[in-house]
Each structure stands twice: as structure tokens, then as C-alpha cells.
Amino acid sequence: MGARLVLGAGARQVSAEKVPAPPDTRTRPPAANYISWVALALMTTSSVASLRPAPTMAVYGLAAVFLYLLPAIVFLLPTSLVSAELASGWKGGVYNWVALGISKPMGFLAVWCQFAMTIFYYPSLLGFVASTLAYVFNPALASSGVWTALVIVVVYWTGVWVSSRGTKGVAGLASGGLIIGTLIPGVVLVVLGLVFLGQGNPSAAPMTADHFLPQWAGLASLVLIVNNFLSYSGMEMNAVHVSSLKEPAREFPRAIFLAMGLVLLIFILPALAISWIVPAETLSLTAGIMQAFDAIFGEFGVQWLTPIFGIMLVTASLGGMLTWLAGPSKGLLLISRQEGYLPPFLQRLNKHGVQQNILVTQGVVTTVIALGYALIPSVSSAYWLFSVITTQVYLIMYLLMFVAAVKLRRSHPDHPRGYRAPMLVSLCGVGFAASLAALLVGFIPPSQFGGGNEGIYFVIVAGGALGLGLLVPFLFYRLRKPSWRQPEAEEVTS
């Protein structure tokens, strides 16, 4: 927090000029290019929904329903509506929104957090890939930290190589991944889970009404809910499509509520199915889905399907990783060239127009973080640590976005917007409070990981979240030089 305040003070000294509101250059798409609100809802669902967080919430059994609904209301809904107003009024993404609403340095902090969260996101995502892939070769490897670290390093650097060559068509992997690696496995898991219960088998987790709320054992009993904020994040990127709706004011809320319903179904039902089949005390946060598939396929005598479904899940995750790999760093690169926030070495492009030096530097840090899987005794504990650090870094960006939205509504009330969020101040207040609460709660070790050293847990999380999310961008800002600015540099496209 201190670093953020100092950065803000520096903003007033170094860049005291008020960032002017750019002229409204938005143009409505031709009638033939409008998209339906149902199409937007499906696009949003495909970019948010995933089976990866299901084991995390399956630990809670029936209470997973409540723990998914609560952040959907206090975080997903405010984030969606607020970012839609910002996207329909100002181009430039989160940097421009925060730069106009607060200051340019705070805009840099926001876009930095959007990029920096991926540094811990990839180890957690690829930790899931490693545990899932283990069921294709040897399920015992799922609990091996060395195997997990090895897979992360090999797969990540392969992704860097692919991305650095400017390969096109990667987005098709992610869109196909929604069906191949999310919808089909999710439906199969839920249907077989229902058949499992219908045959008279008892549920591993109680499914009675008195278990709808999580058992209260202090704040530590609710810490796993923090992971759901990461599950719902990214809505500010989908909000740009609001201008493609024919009647945004009427259709966008419809799209968001439909997307919320679909996302909740995809998140909740597989989590419940896992809780029916795998006891919470034996559930792995990285391999929980494969544990459930292995158990349910064994129950029906088709265990040979387990590695096939493992490959399907891995394919979807890798497609998502490749589409994310170059995106956030590209935005950071463009802003840094304009304002000189990063040294020239990190601004350099290769012959394919890709910010290879940023990707390589990020890869070195990711490799070091991946060693955490080999050094931390429990793979599930390492997975949770990286997930919560990812969430906290991203939440810093959301805190800034909510503040900027309120300030822009007050300072530019008449600026053209394709969509105006209802009760914007209240939405921002709820979203800000929920984000801040989730960020603070993340410093508390979850009750499911009892027995660990709370001090070490706090140091790791604080060092990762606050160090990477606040200290590093503060140092870049303070050490910047006028020669770092390259506004005249032409963007090279692949």
C-alpha cells in the first residue's frame, strides 16, 4: 500500500498535467456487423468458464453453490457492467481508463498488474496441466513436484517459442477448447455423477440443506473463495464488444445475466459432481478432476477413457495459455513505448513483431517460480499459493478500475458512452469492497491446509503479490529515463 501511495505522489510531481479526454472516435459498426446479445453471452462464457477451478470448490461440497454465487453477485456483476461503460466510452483498455480517471502512473500500475498476474498464472495453470497429463502416463506423477516443475518449464518455453514466431490461428485452439476441453468433459462428468448417485451410491460430501453454507471456523474457512475472483476475472476484456450490440443499454444486461447463468452452471455442476465421487480429504487441487474421472470411469468399467479425457483437458488449457501468452505483454509494451515505463531492452521486437524480450524475461521468472513445485512438499499447496498470488495482483487492477470509473462519471458526465451502467457508484462501491476483502483474506492460510507455517505462507504471498504487483512497477517508474520513450517507433505486425 505504501508503494502505491508513493507512486501516486510521484505522479503529481513528474506528470502533473491532466490527461485530456480524447475525442470520441467510436463508430457504430454497420448493421450487418452487429452481434446478438446471445452471441455476446456465449463469447463471454467461453472466455470465463473453465473446469480448472472445480476441484478447489469441490472441497466444500454443496457449499460450493453459495461460494460461487456470492462472488458472482459482488464481483462478476459489478465488473461486467462497470467495464462495459468504460469500454463503450473510451478506447485504450484499462490503461486509458485509469490514466484518464486517476493518473498516468496509476494507469501504468493497472496495465502492469494485468500483465504481472500472468507470471504466477502460468505456473498454476501449467501445474493443472502437469497433474492432468500425469493420468495419461502414470497417475502417481500427479503428486510429484519434480514432474510438475519439469512440465511447467518445458511447456512454457515451448509456448514462448511458438508465440515469438508470430504464429497465427492460435485463437482457434482456445475456441475449440471450450467444447473439447470444457463442455464435453463437464457434461460427461455431471451425467455419470448423477447416474452414480442414481444407482444408490452415497455421495462423498453431504448434500443436505444444512450444508449449503460453509462451516464457519474463522476467516481461514472462507479463504478458498478468493480463487473464485480469479475464475471470474477478465470481464474488462470482453466489455469491448458492447459497442457491437445494436441496443447496448437493453441487450448488454441480458447478455451478462445469461453469461452469468451459463458460467455458474459450468462452474457449479462439475464441482458438485467431483464432491459426490472424491472425498474432500483425498482431493488434489490440481488433479481433482482427473481423480473424479478415474473413479467414475472405473465404476462403469471404462477406465481406458481416463487418459483420453486428460488429453482433452490439456488441449483446452494449452490453447488458452497460447492465446494469453502474448496479449497482456503486448499492451504493456505499447504503453511503455509511449511513456517510457520500461527500459529499451524490454521494448525490443523481433523480426516477427513480437515482444520476445518481455516473453523471455517473463519465462525466466516463471521457471524460477516453477521450482516452487519441486521445493514445496505438497503440489496442492504450491498450486494454491500461486493461484492466490495471481488473484491478488489482478485485484489491484480492479481496485483502480472501480475508482477510475467513479471519477470519470463525475469528471466527464456528458462524454459519449454506448452504455451507462445503472447505479454506477453503488456498483463500484460493492465491487471495490469485495475486491479489497478478497485481497486481504488471501493473506490468511486456508483451513484446508492446516499444519503449515502461517508466517512462511504470509511472507510468500505478500512477497509475491505486493512485491510483484506494487514494488516492481514502482521501481520501473522511479528509475525511468527520458530516453526510454519511443513514441515514434512503428509497431511491427506479424
Side-chain angles (χ1 to χ4, degrees), residues 89 99 125 169 172:
L125 171 66

Side-chain angles (χ1 to χ4, degrees), residues 421-436:
M423 301 184 296
L424 180 102
V425 175
S426 298
L427 284 173
C428 290
V430 171
F432 185 93
S435 300
L436 182 60

Side-chain angles (χ1 to χ4, degrees), residues 4-80:
R4 185 167 57 150
L5 290 176
V6 175
L7 184 58
R12 288 188 293 272
Q13 295 172 4
V14 179
S15 183
E17 75 274 13
K18 187 67 177 177
V19 183
D24 184 46
T25 58
R26 294 185 172 276
T27 57
R28 298 287 287 158
N33 294 331
Y34 285 128
I35 62 173
S36 70
W37 64 272
V38 174
L40 179 57
L42 295 177
M43 289 168 59
T44 302
T45 302
S46 67
S47 64
V48 175
S50 168
L51 295 181
R52 191 166 67 92
T56 305
M57 287 298 109
V59 171
Y60 284 99
L62 186 61
V65 178
F66 171 80
L67 294 177
Y68 269 123
L69 284 173
L70 181 62
I73 294 171
V74 301
F75 179 74
L76 176 60
L77 186 59
T79 299
S80 303

Side-chain angles (χ1 to χ4, degrees), residues 216-398:
W216 180 253
L219 288 176
S221 63
L222 288 179
V223 172
L224 283 183
I225 196 175
V226 172
N227 198 53
N228 288 350
F229 282 75
L230 179 62
S231 300
Y232 290 137
S233 62
M235 291 302 297
E236 76 283 356
M237 297 180 185
N238 292 287
V240 69
H241 299 295
V242 68
S243 298
S244 297
L245 294 172
K246 191 173 184 179
E247 299 180 60
R250 185 170 60 90
E251 294 179 336
F252 186 75
R254 290 183 181 180
I256 288 303
F257 281 108
L258 176 57
M260 280 181 60
L262 294 174
V263 168
L264 286 172
L265 287 176
I266 293 174
F267 278 149
I268 290 173
L269 294 182
L272 289 179
I274 293 174
S275 72
W276 299 335
I277 302 164
V278 184
E281 59 271 15
T282 64
L283 188 64
S284 165
L285 297 190
T286 54
I289 291 179
M290 295 310 298
Q291 285 179 318
F293 276 123
D294 197 45
I296 201 70
F297 286 152
E299 182 73 22
F300 292 97
V302 289
Q303 208 162 15
W304 54 271
L305 285 174
T306 301
I308 296 176
F309 273 70
I311 293 173
M312 292 167 65
L313 291 168
V314 166
T315 300
S317 296
L318 294 182
M321 185 199 83
L322 288 175
T323 57
W324 268 85
L325 194 57
S329 58
K330 186 88 169 202
L332 179 65
L333 171 76
L334 296 177
I335 298 307
S336 297
R337 284 191 157 196
Q338 294 172 15
E339 304 295 337
Y341 291 134
L342 295 180
F345 171 78
L346 293 178
Q347 298 182 32
R348 207 166 295 153
L349 301 177
N350 66 9
K351 64 181 181 180
H352 298 288
V354 176
Q355 57 281 13
Q356 183 172 308
N357 287 359
I358 292 182
L359 294 179
V360 170
T361 303
Q362 181 181 3
V364 172
V365 179
T366 299
T367 300
V368 173
I369 295 173
L371 297 178
Y373 279 101
L375 299 176
I376 298 175
S378 168
V379 171
S380 286
S381 296
Y383 174 83
W384 170 253
L385 281 170
F386 298 144
S387 293
V388 75
I389 291 172
T390 300
T391 306
Q392 288 180 302
V393 172
Y394 213 176
L395 286 173
I396 295 172
M397 184 275 292
Y398 282 113

Side-chain angles (χ1 to χ4, degrees), residues 67-156:
L67 294 177
Y68 269 123
L69 284 173
L70 181 62
I73 294 171
V74 301
F75 179 74
L76 176 60
L77 186 59
T79 299
S80 303
L81 299 181
V82 170
S83 60
E85 171 167 328
L86 293 172
S88 69
W90 292 271
K91 292 183 179 181
V94 68
Y95 170 78
N96 206 35
W97 305 340
V98 177
L100 292 169
I102 306 177
S103 69
K104 283 187 176 182
M106 289 296 104
F108 169 61
L109 176 59
V111 78
W112 168 267
C113 288
Q114 199 174 48
F115 158 75
M117 75 92 182
T118 64
I119 294 177
F120 284 93
Y121 170 74
Y122 294 127
S124 63
L125 171 66
L126 296 179
F128 167 78
V129 168
S131 295
T132 302
L133 203 58
Y135 278 79
V136 177
F137 303 107
N138 180 6
L141 292 173
S143 58
S144 169
V146 174
W147 160 263
T148 303
L150 182 64
V151 170
I152 291 174
V153 172
V154 171
V155 173
Y156 180 83

